[in-house]
Every structure is written in C-alpha cells, then in structure tokens.
Amino acid sequence: MHSSADHFIAGRRRPGTSGEHFSVTGPSTGEVLATGILAGPQDVDEAVAAARAAFPAWSRTTPAERSEALTRWADRVQARSEEFAAVESRMCGKPIRLTRGFDVPGTIDNIRFFAGAARHLEGRASAEYSGDHTSSVRREPLGVIGSVAPWNYPLQMAAWKLLPAVAAGNTAVLKPSELTPLTSLMFAQAAQEAGIPDGVINVVIGTGPVAGQALVAHPDIAMVSFTGSTAVGRQIAARAAGAVKRVHLELGGKAPFVVFDDADLEAAARGAVAGSLINAGQDCTAATRAYVQRPLYDRFVQRVAALMDEVRLGPVDDPATDMGSLISSVQRDRVASMVDAARAAGATVVRGGRAPGDGLDRGAHYEPTLITGAAQDSAIVQQEVFGPVLVCLPFDTDDDAVRLANDTPYGLAASAWTTDVFRAGRASREFQAGCVWINDHIPIVSEMPHGGFKASGYGKDMSLYSLEEYTNVKHVMSENTGAAHKPWHDVIFTSR
C-alpha cells in the first residue's frame, strides 16, 4: 500500500506548499505507506479561511439536520470499517485485533452518540427571575475550531476533536500528527460523502512547530483543542492566552493501579497486564504504577510476570498478535533509555526490558516490561514512559495507597481493585483523576466524559460535557412590561 498524503481543504485533496516532503511509515515493518508535502502557514491560512467561509451556513443548520448528517457519516465509516482498521493497524503498528475491536467500533459509536447529542444541546428553561423580565440561555457555536491531535489513537482522536465541534455547529481545522494522518483524511472524506458541506471539516498535515503553531496563533481560530504532552500543552495555553482564545487540553498521564489486600488477585493481575500493554502502553490512561498492598504483593508480581510471558508479539495483520510495535524507533529508544536508567538506579527488571529479536527487529518493538524496586521519586515512577512498562511497588495502609496514587503531577485516570465497598468509595472520592475505575482499568464509553485534573489538562472529550465545551453561553433577557420607566432607573435619576 502506497498513497499520497495530501491535505483536505474546502472539500478537496491537495498537496502542501511548504516544499518539505514527508513519509508515513508503518513502524512494525518499516514499510512506507504514503508520502506527501507538509503543510506550511499558507496551507493553514487556506484551511482556516475555508472553515470560516463554511461557518455561517453550517451554524444555522438545525440540530436535526446536523444529526442526520452525522448519522450518514457513521454509516459511511461503518461500511468501510475493515479498511479503516487495516490502515490504522499498519500506520500505527497496532495489532489488527485492537483496531477491529476498539479503535474503529469506538469511533463509529462516538459518531452515533454525537448524532443524538446534536439534538439535545439545551439552555435553561425560560423564567422570570427578576419579575419583569424573561431570561433564557442560548448555547451557540464558537466559530472555527483549531484541533491538534496525537499519533497514538489517530482515528479516535480525530473523532473526539471533530464530532462535538461539528455537532454543535462549528467548523474545524484538524492537524493530525504527521506520523499518522491517513485515517484522519479518510474520516474527513467520509464526512464529505455523508453530505457535510465542504469547508466544515479541513485536515492539514504538518509539524507542531510549523503548522501547529500557525493554527494555534491564527486570529480566526476561536478555540484550540489539543491532545498531547503536558510540555506542549503549556506552550499552547500560553500562546492562546495572548489572544484570549478558549483552550481545551488533554495532556499526559501516569495512572495508578491500586490493589488492596482484599482484591481478586487474578482479576487484578489480568487487568494490570491488559491495562499496561494496550496499544503497547502508548495510552495516556494506561496502567503505569501498580501499588499493591503488601500481603498480595509477591503473588501479584509473580502472576503479572507469568501473564506477560504469554503476550505474543508478531505481525500486526495476524489476529493472533497481542501487542504491536511502538510508533517509531525514536519512541522505542526513549522507552529503553528510561528502563535502563531505572535498572542503573537499582530497580529490578522482572520481565522484558529489551527489544525482541525473532524477526521483529525491523520494527520498533519492545518487550512487555515489569519493574520492581524503583524509588517513588524516580523518573520511571513519576514521568510518562508511553511504552509497555509497568512499575510495581508495595504499600501498607489505605492512607499510603491514596497518598502514593496522588503523588505525581498528573491526574488523568486511576483504578482501585477491592471487594470492600467503603474502600472503593474512598478511592472514587480521593483519587485525584478525571476517571476512576473500580475493579477495571481502560474501558471508556461515549456517554461519559474523558479528561484530567492537574497537569493532565482541563476540558472533556466525549459525552454531553464535551459538546458544551464547543459552545458559547448567551443570556437573553426580555423586558415584559413595556413601561418606559423601570424601577431600577431610580438609582440613576429621580422619577418624574
């Protein structure tokens, strides 16, 4: 498979103008899948202009019309679901079982959810709060949304960015990662095929320092939505602040996985392996820090190690493959350096800790890795690894569990494993994270919000909360008496 990775602007595909060529490479094999020319500032300007021109008509469509368009969009993606799964798999190095079972069906469900949500964007009911006026609240679209998406879940991230924006009546310019743009382009074209007007959705492929900065700084962008690292999120927030743009940030994570001594050991061990290895650990909500109460600790480590031994690395198009590659050799080497540093600092690598052989050396693979004996303040515990690495540490008291779980700058996701309802309740209250799972880790649903606390950002994806992010709240107040003299005038001048 080799195609042209052209941009999608005003309803048509065209090459970029930067003059800088790029390749989309499948990281599990090194195969070149597509080539193109990166977007420069001129391409961003044209995409924003197309979105701005499309906004008046799209913002005036009825909720029912937008809902019907999104329903057709879902049908288009559904009809091409196997193609989406295959491209996402090869482009990202994901096992085909993951894209067929998670990425693509999750995206289709998101579209169908927002098709329904488009008809449920409401303000408060009208009422006479002052006695002489009727007040109501309108929710209105913002304008052109500039969205910057990461490489780890490119199809789902395109959906999370575009769907609430478009359902609320906005138009959008999406900048996917230049590493993984192909399914975002397919997604935008499916929207066009579904009857969403040209210019409502535009896709420019470029680097963060060039296309990303041009998009964030563009004066016609009303809101910036970014998913990626906390460091880049801080830069975007600072740039947007100068222009008083609304900002939505979904940033890094370092999810704790807390196992109390009354937990189901087998369920917890399986959950830890699945939660830490999904997408080769390249997931902001992945289980990264397993804190296990001391009576279960040794058995938990042994069982997780045994389960990691069963995880099969292999070709991504083989349904028997459990875990694919990392996104690039650069990312693999970054993960390896963090593991090596932990080992050098005295931690024990119980399983993994190296790139595999067995014919997988052409790709950016790294073995499932289990680490014990790391210090709580070490980089492997505190910093986001974004690879198939789980660190396991013991704790003694419930107070220790809460303290350790919250002891990072991040607050995106967390889980507690217990059969005690009171422990579960305390975890749900006291874990500082935007999502807390009880006796599970990773599942998400379109109806519920996704977003973090602390350095993990602010704002929500999915759910009706997400739809509200992409609207302005307007208070409309109508005077009902018709009187020229209003009682409040007396504070300004004497009645005559």
Side-chain angles (χ1 to χ4, degrees):
M1 181 183 80
H2 187 286
S3 61
S4 179
D6 289 337
H7 313 279
F8 186 76
I9 299 173
R12 69 181 185 91
R13 295 285 296 273
R14 68 164 184 74
T17 62
S18 71
E20 185 177 351
H21 293 260
F22 75 102
S23 298
V24 180
T25 303
S28 65
T29 63
E31 174 192 6
V32 175
L33 306 178
T35 56
I37 301 174
L38 290 169
Q42 179 182 333
D43 304 299
V44 173
D45 286 344
E46 291 184 15
V48 174
R52 186 180 180 187
F55 176 74
W58 182 250
S59 65
R60 288 193 295 267
T61 56
T62 66
E65 289 169 334
R66 295 197 294 272
S67 176
E68 289 166 2
L70 265 67
T71 297
R72 294 192 299 269
W73 190 3
D75 291 341
R76 290 285 180 172
V77 177
Q78 182 93 51
R80 298 172 62 191
S81 59
E82 184 57 28
E83 181 185 358
F84 272 98
V87 174
E88 188 87 342
S89 173
R90 288 195 290 269
M91 179 177 68
C92 301
K94 299 171 184 270
I96 190 66
R97 203 164 79 241
L98 178 63
T99 58
R100 284 174 177 162
F102 185 72
D103 298 76
V104 175
T107 299
I108 294 167
D109 186 71
N110 282 173
I111 308 173
R112 297 199 188 283
F113 170 80
F114 280 107
R119 304 187 72 161
H120 294 279
L121 189 59
E122 300 176 349
R124 293 186 182 274
S126 296
E128 288 66 48
Y129 296 100
S130 76
D132 292 335
H133 306 78
T134 297
S135 286
S136 63
V137 170
R138 295 173 55 88
R139 282 195 173 272
E140 299 179 347
L142 300 167
V144 181
I145 310 301
S147 294
V148 180
W151 47 255
N152 58 335
Y153 289 102
L155 178 59
Q156 290 209 60
M157 294 299 100
W160 287 14
K161 298 298 182 193
L162 294 175
L163 294 173
V166 170
N170 301 282
T171 56
V173 178
L174 171 69
K175 191 204 84 65
S177 168
E178 69 276 17
L179 300 177
T180 57
L182 303 182
T183 48
S184 297
L185 292 167
M186 292 167 61
F187 192 58
Q189 287 187 287
Q192 182 187 48
E193 294 165 4
I196 293 177
D198 294 348
V200 172
I201 294 171
N202 306 274
V203 180
V204 293
I205 307 162
T207 64
V210 177
Q213 287 193 22
L215 187 60
V216 170
H218 200 287
D220 291 332
I221 292 293
M223 171 180 169
V224 176
S225 178
F226 171 75
T227 297
S229 73
T230 296
V232 175
R234 289 192 183 101
Q235 296 173 13
I236 287 175
R239 292 178 187 276
V244 199
K245 295 182 192 292
R246 187 177 299 190
V247 180
H248 168 271
L249 300 174
E250 197 270 272
L251 307 176
K254 192 68 180 174
F257 186 102
V258 179
V259 184
F260 292 94
D261 58 13
D262 62 356
D264 181 321
L265 177 62
E266 183 66 12
R270 287 183 172 275
V273 173
S276 62
L277 301 186
I278 186 170
N279 202 32
Q282 299 169 126
D283 186 310
C284 294
T285 63
T288 60
R289 299 178 288 140
Y291 295 108
V292 185
Q293 207 153 20
R294 210 169 292 274
L296 283 187
Y297 179 77
D298 289 340
R299 285 183 291 155
F300 179 86
V301 170
Q302 292 166 7
R303 185 57 181 145
V304 167
L307 288 169
M308 282 188 171
D309 287 340
E310 298 176 12
V311 173
R312 183 176 185 270
L313 279 63
V316 295
D317 58 355
D318 183 350
T321 294
D322 298 319
M323 196 181 87
S325 72
L326 279 75
I327 191 63
S328 66
S329 58
V330 171
Q331 180 64 14
R332 179 200 58 208
D333 293 347
R334 177 182 176 277
V335 171
S337 69
M338 292 188 74
V339 172
D340 291 345
R343 184 190 283 117
T348 299
V349 179
V350 178
R351 286 294 186 277
R354 65 185 182 94
D358 301 327
L360 297 175
D361 48 354
R362 284 192 306 152
H365 295 86
Y366 197 77
E367 290 185 350
T369 298
L370 175 62
I371 294 175
T372 61
Q376 175 63 19
D377 62 355
S378 63
I380 203 73
V381 175
Q382 292 290 325
Q383 297 176 15
E384 192 169 34
V385 178
F386 231 55
V389 178
L390 177 66
V391 181
C392 191
L393 301 171
F395 71 90
D396 293 303
T397 69
D398 289 19
D399 288 345
D400 291 338
V402 173
R403 176 180 56 80
L404 291 167
N406 292 334
D407 183 30
T408 71
Y410 301 104
L412 185 59
S415 65
W417 296 75
T418 178
T419 54
D420 184 320
V421 66
F422 298 106
R423 275 176 160 167
R426 182 181 182 187
S428 68
R429 292 188 303 272
E430 297 187 23
F431 284 1
Q432 296 168 357
C435 177
V436 177
W437 290 285
I438 305 298
N439 294 322
D440 210 340
H441 196 108
I442 286 297
I444 52 176
V445 290
S446 297
E447 292 82 358
M448 290 290 108
H450 178 277
F453 296 177
K454 302 193 297 186
S456 291
Y458 44 81
K460 300 299 178 184
D461 291 309
M462 301 195 296
S463 80
L464 286 172
Y465 296 100
S466 173
L467 193 63
E468 293 175 353
E469 298 266 356
Y470 291 86
T471 64
N472 271 325
V473 175
K474 178 187 286 184
H475 171 214
V476 179
M477 195 173 195
S478 302
E479 203 275 336
N480 294 329
T481 69
H485 175 78
K486 311 295 193 293
W488 73 267
H489 291 178
D490 293 342
V491 304
I492 307 300
F493 53 82
T494 304
S495 299
R496 293 180 177 86

